[in-house]
Amino acid sequence: MNYMVLLTLDQKGELMSFSADVQKSWYDPNLSWNPLAYGNVSRILSAERSLWRPDIAIVNGAAEDDVIPASDRYAVIFSDGTVQLSAPAVYTTRCLLTLSSFPFDSQECEIRFGSWVYTLDEILLVAQDYVLEPGAEYKGNSEWTVENITAYNYVDHSDSGNDYGELHYTIKLKRKSNYYIYVLFLPTFVVSTLAIFGLFTPLNNEGDRAEKATLGLTTLLSLAVMLDIVGQDMPKSAPLPRLGRYVLGEIIICSLGVLASIALQITHQRINTREFIPSKSLAKKTFEKFPKSEPCKMGMRVLRSAGDRDFKVALGELECSLQKVCEYIAWLELKEEFYTYWIRLFDVIDLLLLLLFQAANVILTAVIVLF
């Protein structure tokens, strides 16, 4: 191969399309002459169609589009009988991909040159260079870099008992992953991180969580769209690539976060609506740290010195009523203290879950990107 430029690598169809100039050279003693007998002419040009040509083709090829039609190509014939033929074309070959590490993967695509008719005893393929260094003649495209190209001889043992010689070129490609990092990895991480902050950050002093489930479901929808983008270019039979595992892992983390947030919301709502308040004795032991104001007696005992009996009875009833009012006010204050206590408790739970889910998010990202 005089030069090779990668055009496309179809991951879904596992097809590689490249432009290459495949030069063939062989020795034909019937075409040799003595240059001194012909005016020191050591080379001539002849139409390709007028010469014998080896039927060398890409065995694993899917399509071939000649840059110059075979009817318009010329071969160079040297006086010693050496024939050189150049066939620039756009080739499409099968390339089995291993996408488990996508988008941090490297691929090896094999190009197999061989003859369909001539056996190993009749045609022996030999590469001019067995290691082709990447450079101006051998380069990739915007997504792939050609790391190296190696060639080696191969013998195909057919069922008929004949051996056919083949020449295999192995092209090692390295994917440029910057596009996927900035377009898929980074947005997925940012969306997941913000969603976890939104799920477990207290929004007000009443502990209202009504919008958190909506935020979580919207995040899951966004991650599902990203996972669909990853799967569009993947073969259906291929294992889930690394990027797909990352997005799926973030979906699982966000799903668990949504479930945890919904569970906290239901629990908190049930506590508030059911007025889940312990008994006064337990409250006195548990919540002594809360400041409580003693109800004022309003000096009613001073009025007991009144002389009239009915008046004393009326004052006693009034004092009893005021005592109940004071007890009710104390009970309302206790309820308010417990509401505040539950809000503080759920704030602590939110903080712990926030740290837990963010740690899982960071660990997942580090494992996928680094390993």
Side-chain angles (χ1 to χ4, degrees):
M1 289 195 299
N2 188 33
Y3 76 88
M4 194 280 297
V5 177
L6 178 66
L7 300 178
T8 60
L9 183 58
D10 183 7
Q11 298 177 150
K12 193 171 185 179
E14 296 185 313
L15 295 174
M16 179 180 65
S17 180
F18 62 96
S19 175
D21 179 17
V22 179
Q23 290 187 344
K24 306 183 186 76
S25 178
W26 64 92
Y27 173 70
D28 190 343
N30 297 318
L31 299 179
S32 61
W33 69 90
N34 185 3
L36 297 178
Y38 295 94
N40 290 325
V41 175
S42 60
R43 61 186 293 270
I44 62 173
L45 300 179
S46 176
E48 178 184 333
R49 63 180 181 273
S50 64
L51 301 175
W52 174 89
R53 294 163 292 169
D55 61 335
I56 305 300
I58 297 181
V59 178
N60 61 336
E64 180 178 339
D65 186 12
D66 292 330
V67 176
I68 302 176
S71 58
D72 297 336
R73 290 199 297 253
Y74 285 84
V76 181
I77 305 174
F78 294 90
S79 59
D80 61 352
T82 301
V83 182
Q84 289 184 352
L85 181 64
S86 180
V90 176
Y91 301 93
T92 301
T93 62
R94 288 279 294 167
C95 181
L96 299 180
L97 304 178
T98 303
L99 298 172
S100 58
S101 298
F102 171 83
F104 306 103
D105 55 327
S106 297
Q107 304 294 336
E108 290 188 355
C109 296
E110 195 173 62
I111 306 173
R112 300 165 52 189
F113 290 96
S115 172
W116 292 105
V117 178
Y118 296 100
T119 63
L120 182 62
D121 296 333
E122 296 166 330
I123 287 184
L124 175 63
L125 294 177
V126 180
Q128 184 177 7
D129 295 312
Y130 283 91
V131 178
L132 305 179
E133 296 296 335
E137 296 83 10
Y138 308 97
K139 54 187 178 181
N141 57 9
S142 60
E143 186 177 357
W144 297 93
T145 301
V146 177
E147 292 193 325
N148 60 67
I149 302 176
T150 58
Y152 62 93
N153 293 326
Y154 177 80
V155 178
D156 181 20
H157 304 282
S158 65
D159 297 335
S160 62
N162 296 323
D163 295 336
Y164 295 90
E166 293 183 359
L167 184 62
H168 291 190
Y169 283 89
T170 301
I171 303 175
K172 187 173 181 180
L173 304 173
K174 176 67 176 179
R175 189 192 301 271
K176 301 175 184 177
S177 58
N178 291 339
Y179 169 81
Y180 297 96
I181 291 177
Y182 295 131
V183 174
L184 291 176
F185 259 110
L186 189 59
T188 300
F189 176 75
V190 171
V191 168
S192 302
T193 302
L194 294 179
I196 293 174
F197 274 114
L199 288 173
F200 300 109
T201 300
L203 301 178
N204 51 51
N205 294 330
E206 286 76 23
D208 187 15
R209 304 169 182 270
E211 300 298 329
K212 294 189 175 183
T214 304
L215 172 63
L217 295 177
T218 304
T219 303
L220 292 178
L221 179 61
S222 302
L223 294 177
V225 172
M226 293 182 181
L227 184 61
D228 181 67
I229 294 175
V230 175
Q232 284 179 357
D233 295 333
M234 298 295 107
K236 301 303 180 184
S237 60
L240 192 63
R242 184 187 297 186
L243 179 56
R245 295 196 299 270
Y246 174 68
V247 178
L248 185 60
E250 293 288 13
I251 290 177
I252 294 175
I253 290 176
C254 291
S255 298
L256 294 177
V258 172
L259 291 177
S261 181
I262 292 176
L264 291 177
Q265 180 179 352
I266 294 175
T267 304
H268 202 171
Q269 190 267 346
R270 289 294 184 270
I271 290 175
N272 289 337
T273 57
R274 303 307 191 268
E275 296 184 354
F276 183 74
I277 300 177
S279 61
K280 294 182 179 180
S281 59
L282 181 60
K284 185 177 180 181
K285 296 178 181 179
T286 308
F287 296 98
E288 291 180 352
K289 62 180 180 179
F290 291 112
K292 298 180 178 62
S293 58
E294 294 293 337
C296 181
K297 304 299 183 180
M298 299 182 66
M300 295 302 298
R301 296 186 181 276
V302 180
L303 299 177
R304 287 184 178 275
S305 59
D308 188 73
R309 185 176 180 277
D310 294 334
F311 185 63
K312 289 182 178 180
V313 173
L315 288 177
E317 294 177 354
L318 179 59
E319 182 182 9
C320 181
S321 299
L322 291 176
Q323 184 67 30
K324 291 180 179 180
V325 171
C326 292
E327 291 178 355
Y328 181 72
I329 293 174
W331 180 243
L332 291 180
E333 292 178 351
L334 182 61
K335 285 178 59 177
E336 186 65 27
E337 291 170 358
F338 269 93
Y339 285 154
T340 304
Y341 167 77
W342 287 118
I343 291 176
R344 293 178 179 176
L345 177 62
F346 280 102
D347 286 349
V348 174
I349 296 175
D350 279 334
L351 179 59
L352 294 177
L353 291 178
L354 174 62
L355 296 177
L356 176 63
F357 279 94
Q358 288 293 14
N361 181 31
V362 173
I363 292 174
L364 175 64
T365 303
V367 169
I368 291 296
V369 173
L370 299 179
F371 303 99

